[in-house]
Amino acid sequence: MDPPFEEKYKSLLTNTTLLSKDKDYVIMSDYEEHELPIIDLHRLTLSFSEREQCVKEIRQAAREWGFFQVVNHGIPQEILEGIQLEQRKAFHHPFSKKAEENILNLPGYTWGNPAATCLRQLSWLEVFHIPLTDISKISGEYKSLRESIEAYTATAEKLAKDLSEILAENLGVSSTFFQENCLPETSYLRMNRYPPCPFSSEVLGALPHTDSCFVNVLNQDQIGGLQLWMNGKWISVKPNPEALIINIGDLFQVASNDVYKSIRHRVLASKQAERFSLAYLYCPRKDAVIESGMKPSMYRKFTFGELTEQNARDVKETGNKGGIPRFLM
Ligand SMILES: O=C(O)CCC(=O)C(=O)O
Ligand SMILES: [Fe+2]
């Protein structure tokens, strides 16, 4: 098996008494499946009233769901197919190449979760986490991957910026904030692969988390498994091949004083199928100040760098990031 989960996590996998009792980690056999709200972004280019209706739906979905789907999103199909193909090729290199030879010349390849002390803290996935400052380092035989990443992130950035400006307009955020603070190289691309998992009733694909960004442009395949924590339970998201998912991250929850929701999500592992997803995390410079223009503010002002450093310390100490609750007044 590649990556070698069964070897590395043998002691956790053979001792099934090591299951977490925490509600976040419980895995049942069936879940309610929901279709997220679908928003047709073509209307942003039409008449004033059509645009206003579309804007209203985007803000409503960000308040009520924190997750929605977009169609006519402006990312050409061939660019999407190009990155999906390159993503598969990158993961299908032998494990030794991915893990030891650092094929992409990036430090960002990870798999599993070395901090797991019980089975349900293990994530059955491998990730290339790519800071976009670093893509020029991908060279040589991986040039086609670099070109696909460049084409995809250029279009994803425009989509994320347009949506962020719409979401921020009524929050008292400066109209030039995103232009000035979220640059092409300050965002991140996460390429995820969830290998088939023989222990899918005991192990999650991705552990519950929120995303530390303004918005995440999420492209998933048709396998399914993504779940959201809503109204006290996990619900499954129905995949839609026509749509991209947009989810609100922690930075918008702070900027909106909790009006927009950064929803906890996780991914179930699949017994038979391999699953891929691609997350474009729209992030600002490390020195960008994150604050709410609404008074009284629920959070103290902080820089994006403070949040990422705090999260990194938390992960090291506890296995989980503390996220924005750490900055509550
Ligand atoms: O694989 C998915 O659908 C979700 C991935 C995710 O939550 C992430 O990369 O932050
Ligand atoms: Fe996520």
Side-chain angles (χ1 to χ4, degrees), residues 25 33 59 83 85 95 100 104 108 144 146 155 176 179 189 201 246:
Y25 299 96
E33 195 176 48
R59 291 181 187 153
I83 184 95
L85 183 77
F95 177 68
E100 285 147 33
L104 304 184
S144 60
R146 191 188 76 215
T155 51
T176 55
Q179 184 80 28
L189 188 70
S201 52
I246 305 293

Side-chain angles (χ1 to χ4, degrees), residues 210-235:
T210 59
D211 292 337
S212 313
C213 57
F214 277 107
V215 292
N216 177 7
V217 177
L218 180 65
N219 175 221
Q220 62 160 339
D221 64 17
Q222 295 316 297
I223 302 298
L226 174 62
Q227 296 196 312
L228 316 184
W229 182 252
M230 291 198 93
N231 304 323
K233 57 182 186 207
W234 289 107
I235 59 165

Side-chain angles (χ1 to χ4, degrees), residues 60-117:
Q60 183 179 357
R63 282 196 309 269
E64 292 175 5
W65 285 80
F67 266 76
F68 52 96
Q69 306 181 88
V70 290
V71 291
N72 292 316
H73 42 64
I75 302 186
Q77 192 58 25
E78 54 288 7
I79 289 187
L80 265 172
E81 283 168 15
I83 184 95
Q84 286 161 348
L85 183 77
E86 290 295 333
Q87 176 180 6
R88 280 173 185 264
K89 269 169 51 188
F91 279 117
H92 285 162
H93 287 294
F95 177 68
S96 57
K97 262 187 129 172
K98 289 180 289 196
E100 285 147 33
E101 290 175 34
N102 190 14
I103 44 170
L104 304 184
N105 202 16
L106 298 170
Y109 175 76
T110 55
W111 65 285
N113 178 1
T117 54

Side-chain angles (χ1 to χ4, degrees), residues 28-265:
M28 302 189 313
S29 56
D30 61 339
Y31 287 93
E32 279 171 40
E33 195 176 48
H34 287 251
E35 185 135 22
L36 297 175
I38 296 197
I39 301 179
D40 182 352
L41 297 185
H42 176 56
R43 288 171 300 159
L44 293 174
T45 61
L46 302 179
S47 67
F48 178 79
S49 63
E50 302 227 44
R51 184 183 155 85
E52 281 307 288
Q53 178 58 30
C54 184
V55 164
K56 208 170 119 192
E57 287 172 24
I58 292 168
R59 291 181 187 153
Q60 183 179 357
R63 282 196 309 269
E64 292 175 5
W65 285 80
F67 266 76
F68 52 96
Q69 306 181 88
V70 290
V71 291
N72 292 316
H73 42 64
I75 302 186
Q77 192 58 25
E78 54 288 7
I79 289 187
L80 265 172
E81 283 168 15
I83 184 95
Q84 286 161 348
L85 183 77
E86 290 295 333
Q87 176 180 6
R88 280 173 185 264
K89 269 169 51 188
F91 279 117
H92 285 162
H93 287 294
F95 177 68
S96 57
K97 262 187 129 172
K98 289 180 289 196
E100 285 147 33
E101 290 175 34
N102 190 14
I103 44 170
L104 304 184
N105 202 16
L106 298 170
Y109 175 76
T110 55
W111 65 285
N113 178 1
T117 54
C118 86
L119 213 47
R120 282 179 189 155
Q121 286 173 356
L122 175 58
S123 24
W124 203 268
L125 97 153
E126 53 179 335
V127 180
F128 283 111
H129 183 71
I130 307 174
L132 295 176
T133 36
D134 286 350
I135 43 179
S136 59
K137 294 186 192 154
I138 305 174
S139 60
E141 65 175 298
Y142 306 107
K143 191 166 147 258
S144 60
L145 171 66
R146 191 188 76 215
E147 286 168 353
S148 294
I149 293 176
E150 283 166 347
Y152 181 69
T153 54
T155 51
E157 190 218 345
K158 179 170 185 323
L159 173 61
K161 178 166 179 282
D162 289 351
L163 291 171
S164 295
E165 287 179 347
I166 287 170
L167 288 164
E169 213 177 271
N170 54 345
L171 300 179
V173 174
S174 144
S175 60
T176 55
F177 179 89
F178 296 102
Q179 184 80 28
E180 287 164 5
N181 290 286
C182 298
L183 311 174
E185 65 276 12
T186 57
S187 291
Y188 296 83
L189 188 70
R190 262 175 76 96
M191 302 198 299
N192 300 315
R193 173 178 177 262
Y194 301 84
C197 174
F199 315 95
S200 57
S201 52
E202 271 93 40
V203 179
L204 287 165
L207 299 180
H209 68 280
T210 59
D211 292 337
S212 313
C213 57
F214 277 107
V215 292
N216 177 7
V217 177
L218 180 65
N219 175 221
Q220 62 160 339
D221 64 17
Q222 295 316 297
I223 302 298
L226 174 62
Q227 296 196 312
L228 316 184
W229 182 252
M230 291 198 93
N231 304 323
K233 57 182 186 207
W234 289 107
I235 59 165
S236 293
V237 173
K238 191 171 180 201
N240 176 340
E242 310 298 322
L244 287 171
I245 291 176
I246 305 293
N247 70 278
I248 300 296
D250 291 351
L251 304 186
F252 254 130
Q253 179 159 334
V254 172
S256 69
N257 230 7
D258 278 7
V259 171
Y260 299 145
K261 304 290 186 301
S262 178
I263 296 285
R264 278 168 80 69
H265 50 287

